[in-house]
Amino acid sequence: MNDYAGQHEVISENMTSLITGELTRYVQELKQERKSHFHDGRKAQQHLETCWKQLEASKRRFERDCKEADRAQQYFEKMDADINVTKADVEKARQQAQLRHQMAEDSKAEYSSILQKFNSEQHDHYYTHIPNIFQKIQEMEERRILRIGESMKTFAEVDRQVIPIIGKCLDEITKAAESIDHKNDSQLVIEAFKSGFEPPGDIDFEDFTQPMKRTVSESSLSNSRGDGKSEPKFGGKSKGKLWPFIKKNKGAGPEDFSNLPPEQRRKKLQQKVDELNKDIQKEMDQRDALTKMKDVYIKNPQMGDAASVDHRLAELGQNIEKLRLEAQKFEGWLADVEGRLPMRTEQARRQSGLYEAQNTSAVNSCAQDRESSPDGSYTEEQSQETEMKVPATDFDDEFDDEEPLPTIGTCKALYTFEGQNEGTISVAEGEMLYVIEEDKGDGWTRIRRNEDEEGYVPTSYVEVYLDKNAKDVYKSLQKISE
């Protein structure tokens, strides 16, 4: 799966460097080029509009001069026909008419020149300038389309390069999935978390007409107590016990792990011995290194003072001695546990050794799928529990001899809740109960009705009234246990 994901990262990196980065730069270039072409088009359009305005101005001037010339000619003819007008006035009117005709001719020539120029500019605009601009824009778009095609081809090549590797990864994933052995996985988990207890033997009939004789299997739970007699427990305190296999948080626990079942205790002790041996080896390596350094200082005083490492060497010697004594203590407990454990079959030994050698994360994740209670605990160490309890052991004390949790407040049931699952308790709407454990974030609150009835209810179903002093004590106890 990691290799499969890695190939997709390769695709992403190549697409980023070969396609995305290049296209980003190319798009910026296209934007600048497109902007330049549109600027040229607006400039050509503005030039044509300017020429049109000049043409319109010359046309209006030519029209005005023509009308002025006509009026001047009509005035001259009128003055020339009137016998009462002096010759000087007629001559003046004639000169004015000639001037107006000359101005009209000049305007006509100017209008004709500007018209020809405009027609030429208009022709160039629609047949040369604008087509050229459109042609450049079209070529730009065609280059863009070709570049997109090249990028698609590059993507195909990038993807094609990793297809064989991806295919191999998929084949290996399929092979790994087909090789899953659920029975073996279950056996590994069983070997990791089994208690080591054996079921108790049958209880003999007690004939009160004869001296009481009762035999129990040597490996039963009652033998760890010694030879003291104990009456079997029926129901009683443990009958209403909640989640009897939850390991309660009672602090660090005994140093020798005597609170654990035999098999779990053996594994914990073995782990502790291994850790101590590693620490001893580490300290010895440091001591050897300092000893060599001291020898170098003795032979070459200019490199350092040999006496400066004596204090550290003494500390390391003391640490090694303490660790060895600690290791011997745990090895003694381990030997005692291994001597008491029932003989395991050769197959069980192999399976246990296989687990301890592998110690893979798959087992850990599998083990985390065990049944959990509303408070998020896991049912790790389990023992056989029947309606009739055998005499209690140290392991049983963890579950049966605990003091009841103190009340930290009260609560009122807002709704009726039918507690059908193990560990829950049914409540009726409006009922007042005692709170013995707050919601730890999982949506469940632990409450008590009386000494024998307690359990979990959804936090949203109750309104909690915590007693401040009791709450402070409860939090203090929690910190101590942690």
Side-chain angles (χ1 to χ4, degrees):
M1 292 295 288
N2 288 334
D3 293 340
Y4 181 73
Q7 295 308 310
H8 283 83
E9 289 179 0
V10 170
I11 294 176
S12 175
E13 291 171 359
N14 289 336
M15 286 184 64
T16 301
S17 60
L18 300 178
I19 300 177
T20 306
E22 294 295 328
L23 286 182
T24 301
R25 289 191 292 270
Y26 187 66
V27 165
Q28 294 299 325
E29 295 174 1
L30 287 182
K31 285 182 178 179
Q32 293 298 326
E33 184 177 353
R34 185 174 182 271
K35 185 178 180 180
S36 175
H37 293 329
F38 274 77
H39 176 72
D40 294 342
R42 285 192 296 271
K43 186 177 179 180
Q45 189 69 31
Q46 290 172 358
H47 178 69
L48 185 63
E49 290 176 355
T50 300
C51 292
W52 171 256
K53 289 178 181 178
Q54 290 178 353
L55 177 63
E56 285 292 313
S58 66
K59 179 180 177 181
R60 286 193 298 271
R61 189 164 52 251
F62 173 55
E63 182 182 7
R64 184 182 68 249
D65 289 344
C66 286
K67 290 180 178 178
E68 290 292 333
D70 287 341
R71 281 196 295 271
Q73 182 64 29
Q74 291 176 3
Y75 179 73
F76 167 70
E77 291 175 354
K78 181 179 178 182
M79 294 292 288
D80 188 41
D82 191 352
I83 58 174
N84 296 323
V85 178
T86 62
K87 188 176 180 180
D89 291 337
V90 172
E91 184 62 23
K92 183 178 179 181
R94 185 181 64 80
Q95 291 178 355
Q96 186 66 26
Q98 290 178 349
L99 178 62
R100 292 294 181 184
H101 277 290
Q102 184 62 40
M103 291 176 63
E105 288 295 328
D106 292 343
S107 297
K108 180 180 179 181
E110 182 184 5
Y111 171 62
S112 177
S113 174
I114 293 176
L115 179 61
Q116 291 178 359
K117 181 181 177 181
F118 174 77
N119 288 332
S120 175
E121 291 288 345
Q122 182 175 256
H123 183 275
D124 291 342
H125 178 81
Y126 286 107
Y127 288 94
T128 304
H129 298 314
I130 294 299
N132 287 340
I133 293 173
F134 282 152
Q135 183 64 30
K136 291 178 180 179
I137 294 175
Q138 179 178 337
E139 291 173 355
M140 179 191 70
E141 292 297 322
E142 289 174 353
R143 292 200 309 273
R144 179 186 62 81
I145 293 170
L146 287 175
R147 190 60 176 269
I148 291 176
E150 292 174 358
S151 299
M152 294 173 64
K153 185 178 178 181
T154 302
F155 166 72
E157 291 298 326
V158 168
D159 213 325
R160 184 177 288 110
Q161 290 175 1
V162 300
I163 283 178
I165 304 176
I166 289 179
K168 186 176 180 180
C169 291
L170 293 175
D171 291 340
E172 291 297 325
I173 291 172
T174 303
K175 183 179 178 181
E178 292 174 349
S179 66
I180 291 175
D181 186 353
H182 58 283
K183 294 293 185 182
N184 184 57
D185 290 348
S186 298
Q187 192 60 40
L188 291 175
V189 175
I190 291 170
E191 286 295 325
F193 296 98
K194 68 180 181 181
S195 67
F197 287 132
E198 287 190 357
D202 295 337
I203 298 176
D204 290 343
F205 173 74
E206 298 181 20
D207 188 355
F208 291 100
T209 61
Q210 301 291 335
M212 185 175 67
K213 295 180 180 179
R214 183 182 181 196
T215 60
V216 184
S217 172
E218 290 181 359
S219 60
S220 68
L221 302 180
S222 62
N223 285 349
S224 59
R225 281 289 192 178
D227 297 329
K229 296 182 178 179
S230 175
E231 294 295 328
K233 297 180 181 179
F234 294 88
K237 179 180 175 182
S238 62
K239 182 176 181 180
K241 198 72 176 172
L242 297 173
W243 304 98
F245 301 122
I246 296 176
K247 183 178 179 181
K248 306 299 181 181
N249 187 2
K250 302 174 73 175
E255 186 182 14
D256 60 353
F257 305 108
S258 59
N259 59 319
L260 300 179
E263 183 68 21
Q264 296 297 322
R265 185 186 179 196
R266 182 189 68 80
K267 291 181 180 179
K268 286 287 187 181
L269 289 171
Q270 185 65 56
Q271 180 181 355
K272 187 68 176 178
V273 169
D274 293 341
E275 291 176 358
L276 288 171
N277 288 332
K278 289 180 181 178
D279 293 340
I280 291 173
Q281 186 61 44
K282 183 177 178 181
E283 296 289 322
M284 291 178 66
D285 291 342
Q286 292 185 22
R287 186 183 64 180
D288 294 342
L290 284 175
T291 302
K292 291 179 181 179
M293 184 184 296
K294 183 178 179 180
D295 293 340
V296 172
Y297 288 167
I298 292 174
K299 295 178 181 178
N300 302 285
Q302 70 276 9
M303 297 183 66
D305 184 10
S308 62
V309 298
D310 288 340
H311 179 68
R312 180 58 181 160
L313 282 172
E315 287 184 356
L316 289 173
Q318 294 175 1
N319 292 342
I320 292 172
E321 187 62 27
K322 289 179 181 178
L323 290 172
R324 282 176 175 169
L325 291 174
E326 192 79 3
Q328 289 176 4
K329 179 173 64 176
F330 279 94
E331 285 172 353
W333 287 333
L334 179 60
D336 184 52
V337 171
E338 289 179 341
R340 290 185 181 180
L341 280 176
M343 295 296 293
R344 296 184 291 176
T345 64
E346 188 63 29
Q347 180 182 3
R349 285 198 191 93
R350 288 198 302 270
Q351 290 172 342
S352 178
L354 175 62
Y355 170 78
E356 292 170 0
Q358 291 178 345
N359 195 18
T360 60
S361 58
V363 176
N364 293 334
S365 62
C366 181
Q368 291 175 356
D369 293 333
R370 298 185 302 279
E371 180 183 3
S372 63
S373 66
D375 64 357
S377 302
Y378 292 99
T379 58
E380 295 183 357
E381 295 91 19
Q382 297 190 5
S383 64
Q384 297 293 332
E385 179 184 70
T386 60
E387 185 63 22
M388 184 182 72
K389 295 286 186 177
V390 298
T393 65
D394 291 336
F395 179 54
D396 294 327
D397 289 342
E398 184 176 357
F399 304 123
D400 296 330
D401 296 338
E402 292 179 348
E403 292 296 328
L405 290 174
T407 59
I408 59 173
T410 59
C411 67
K412 180 181 179 181
L414 301 177
Y415 315 100
T416 299
F417 174 69
E418 298 292 339
Q420 298 179 351
N421 295 328
E422 184 181 2
T424 59
I425 185 172
S426 300
V427 296
E429 182 179 354
E431 185 178 1
M432 296 297 297
L433 306 109
Y434 295 103
V435 178
I436 59 176
E437 192 173 308
E438 278 189 277
D439 185 354
K440 296 181 179 179
D442 54 5
W444 294 87
T445 299
R446 191 172 178 180
I447 64 173
R448 176 185 295 147
R449 179 178 287 112
N450 51 50
E451 290 185 0
D452 294 330
E453 290 187 90
E454 62 182 47
Y456 291 91
V457 295
T459 303
S460 58
Y461 276 59
V462 293
E463 185 175 3
V464 178
Y465 311 96
L466 293 179
D467 180 67
K468 186 178 185 301
N469 294 331
K471 184 179 180 181
D472 293 340
V473 172
Y474 175 70
K475 288 185 176 179
S476 300
L477 290 173
Q478 276 191 325
K479 290 180 179 178
I480 292 173
S481 67
E482 290 173 355

